[in-house]
Amino acid sequence: EVQLVESGGGLVQPGRSLRLSCAASGFTFDDYAMHWVRQAPGKGLEWVSGISWNSGSIGYADSVKGRFTISRDNAKNSLYLQMNSLRAEDTALYYCAKAPGQWLVPTYFDYWGQGTLVTVSS
Amino acid sequence: EIVLTQSPGTLSLSPGERATLSCRASQSVSSSYLAWYQQKPGQAPRLLIYGASSRATGIPDRFSGSGSGTDFTLTISRLEPEDFAVYYCQQYGSSLNTFGQGTKVEIK
């Protein structure tokens, strides 16, 4: 059974940093691209970032480019999102999502974690 | 960026009725790279449909997707109590994935 478990969320002040993690199990992690998708409270879904199976291809939404960094450790079956210079508008539930293939695009998301909440507030 | 507009915003129906949800794209979605997700309160989204019309693993056949180009439809042939939820479409034909704003299917 595919399982994705996010962690690392919390309350953080504007301008500070936070690192999210996603622990994957139930599938061969290094065969698939992985993504982060967020959902602001009461709002819709927004793709944040994605990384190919071998970290050779990486993409970011314009809203986070230059502030967020995605990475993965295939030996640890883990996905990460380093979030710097956080803003109030980054407040959201952050989901880790698995792609059905190796590459970044084109892709939908076939499995999702339960999310970790990031709140940016002073 | 391709903008997806879903309609209606809310659909009020009774169990057993047919639900028809629309997703319209601001420009053509290449190769019918369109997916549909279901999200219930407090839960993560669940993939229903990919490639505009292919059902994901374990999805009942009362869910069907159709369309191409700029107009796509999700149909639930007969609503079951567990189908009342919010539904999102997503296009993945461009390098920037985008989602629609969602359609809420509520019990009438």
Side-chain angles (χ1 to χ4, degrees), chain B:
Chain B
E1 174 183 325
I2 297 177
V3 177
L4 299 179
T5 302
Q6 292 186 240
S7 61
T10 302
L11 199 50
S12 298
L13 294 168
S14 301
E17 289 193 293
R18 181 184 189 91
T20 302
L21 287 66
S22 173
C23 177
R24 179 162 291 178
S26 60
Q27 55 188 283
S28 184
V29 177
S30 60
S31 304
S32 295
Y33 285 149
L34 189 109
W36 290 93
Y37 301 87
Q38 175 194 68
Q39 187 177 34
K40 298 178 182 178
Q43 295 187 18
R46 178 175 71 145
L47 176 68
L48 299 175
I49 301 286
Y50 63 93
S53 60
S54 297
R55 269 188 303 277
T57 303
I59 301 304
D61 60 7
R62 63 180 181 273
F63 291 92
S64 63
S66 62
S68 63
T70 60
D71 289 295
F72 298 87
T73 301
L74 175 71
T75 302
I76 310 172
S77 59
R78 288 192 330 178
L79 283 164
E80 297 287 341
E82 62 267 27
D83 298 336
F84 292 92
V86 179
Y87 292 83
Y88 294 96
C89 59
Q90 176 221 350
Q91 69 78 26
Y92 53 100
S94 70
S95 59
L96 183 62
N97 294 289
T98 52
F99 292 89
Q101 83 280 17
T103 289
K104 181 179 182 180
V105 179
E106 65 176 21
I107 300 176
K108 188 175 182 179

Side-chain angles (χ1 to χ4, degrees), chain A residues 77-109:
Chain A
N77 289 349
S78 293
L79 175 72
Y80 306 101
L81 186 68
Q82 177 68 42
M83 304 186 296
N84 297 333
S85 303
L86 282 161
R87 306 167 180 168
E89 54 264 36
D90 295 320
T91 294
L93 188 62
Y94 284 73
Y95 292 105
C96 168
K98 174 187 168 294
Q102 291 185 325
W103 302 109
L104 204 57
V105 291
T107 192
Y108 52 92
F109 311 109

Side-chain angles (χ1 to χ4, degrees), chain A residues 10-18 67 83-91 118-122:
Chain A
L11 175 63
V12 62
Q13 293 178 329
R16 304 298 290 264
S17 300
L18 210 57
R67 300 187 298 121
M83 304 186 296
N84 297 333
S85 303
L86 282 161
R87 306 167 180 168
E89 54 264 36
D90 295 320
T91 294
V118 173
T119 303
V120 183
S121 174
S122 54

